[in-house]
């Protein structure tokens, strides 16, 4: 049902890569696109904002509440591959390159905040360091083995050994300085 509702919305395109859908009160001059044109993008949680629109019949302002959903840009949708207990040895410990592993869970808000940053860095450091993520709910043995007590935790491995760890949703610069020590 949600997909049907989203597909029926018109989306004013203010600039490439970032679009906003407004349920009512949009200008007829705004360029429009449908959600189906944004393949591979994901919508962020909706929020309500106050919108002021001028009535063409009257010169006074009309205030109303509209629901607005943002579609995140392509760079935010970069996906980091998952690693599991069965692939841990071959993908992380036996890697010829350094590996950054993000320990996360689907219910974790800070994990969702850091995910686009890790995705962006995986593209920037492609060929120099590998990026993976592991769901701590699905793989508690690995999380326990490495002493994960808080998520998100980004851990760097080199030659099969844990070298460094960054805990929490930290700024991009913090992750970059940590990664640069090992590439």
């Amino acid at each position: 049902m949600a997909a049907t509702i989203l597909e029926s919305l018109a989306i004013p395109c203010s600039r490439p890569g970032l679009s906003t859908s407004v349920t009512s009160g949009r200008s007829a001059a705004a360029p429009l696109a449908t959600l189906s044109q944004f393949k591979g993008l994901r919508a962020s949680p909706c929020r309500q904002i106050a919108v002021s629109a001028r009535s063409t019949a009257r010169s006074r302002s009309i205030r109303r509440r509209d629901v607005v959903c943002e579609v995140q840009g392509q760079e935010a949708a970069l996906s980091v591959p998952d690693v599991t207990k069965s692939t841990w040895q071959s993908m992380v410990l036996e890697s010829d390159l350094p590996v950054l592993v993000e320990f996360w869970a689907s219910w974790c808000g800070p994990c969702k905040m850091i995910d686009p940053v890790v995705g962006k860095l995986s593209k920037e450091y492609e060929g120099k360091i590998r990026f993976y993520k592991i769901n701590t709910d699905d793989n508690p043995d690995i999380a326990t083995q490495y002493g994960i007590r808080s998520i998100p935790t980004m851990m760097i491995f080199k030659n099969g050994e844990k070298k460094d760890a960054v805990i929490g949703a930290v700024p991009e610069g913090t992750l970059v300085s940590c990664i640069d020590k090992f590439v």
Side-chain angles (χ1 to χ4, degrees):
M1 179 173 169
T4 307
I5 293 169
L6 286 175
E7 289 175 313
S8 68
L9 295 177
I11 304 170
C13 300
S14 57
R15 58 187 159 126
L18 179 65
S19 302
T20 309
S21 62
V22 181
T23 57
S24 61
R26 64 176 159 75
S27 165
L32 296 177
T34 60
L35 194 60
S36 62
Q37 291 175 311
F38 295 99
K39 290 182 170 70
L41 300 181
R42 59 183 179 198
S44 65
C46 296
R47 65 183 190 279
Q48 287 193 345
I49 61 168
V51 176
S52 176
R54 295 241 179 235
S55 170
T56 55
R58 300 179 205 113
S59 61
R60 64 184 176 89
S61 289
I62 299 171
R63 288 211 169 261
R64 66 181 123 197
R65 296 273 243 187
D66 289 338
V67 175
V68 176
C69 296
E70 298 174 21
V71 177
Q72 297 177 348
Q74 199 80 13
E75 65 276 357
L78 289 175
S79 180
V80 175
D82 286 314
V83 66
T84 63
K85 182 179 180 179
S86 61
T87 59
W88 181 264
Q89 182 72 30
S90 62
M91 294 174 78
V92 177
L93 301 180
E94 295 174 358
S95 175
D96 54 341
L97 291 175
V99 178
L100 182 139
V101 179
E102 175 190 358
F103 290 82
W104 70 286
S106 59
W107 49 264
C108 170
C111 298
K112 292 175 186 175
M113 291 170 44
I114 197 78
D115 194 51
V117 175
V118 173
K120 179 184 171 195
L121 291 175
S122 73
K123 190 71 174 166
E124 288 178 17
Y125 284 91
E126 195 169 359
K128 298 177 185 175
I129 184 171
R130 293 199 172 102
F131 288 76
Y132 298 113
K133 58 190 208 175
I134 186 165
N135 188 322
T136 57
D137 289 338
D138 297 340
N139 303 281
D141 296 347
I142 301 289
T144 302
Q145 180 181 350
Y146 289 97
I148 303 301
R149 294 177 176 252
S150 181
I151 53 175
T153 294
M154 282 62 62
M155 209 171 269
I156 296 183
F157 294 84
K158 189 170 184 178
N159 300 324
E161 295 178 12
K162 173 188 160 186
K163 295 294 184 182
D164 204 354
V166 177
I167 300 170
V170 296
E172 183 179 335
T174 304
L175 283 177
V176 168
S177 63
C178 184
I179 291 167
D180 285 343
K181 292 188 274 185
F182 302 100
V183 293

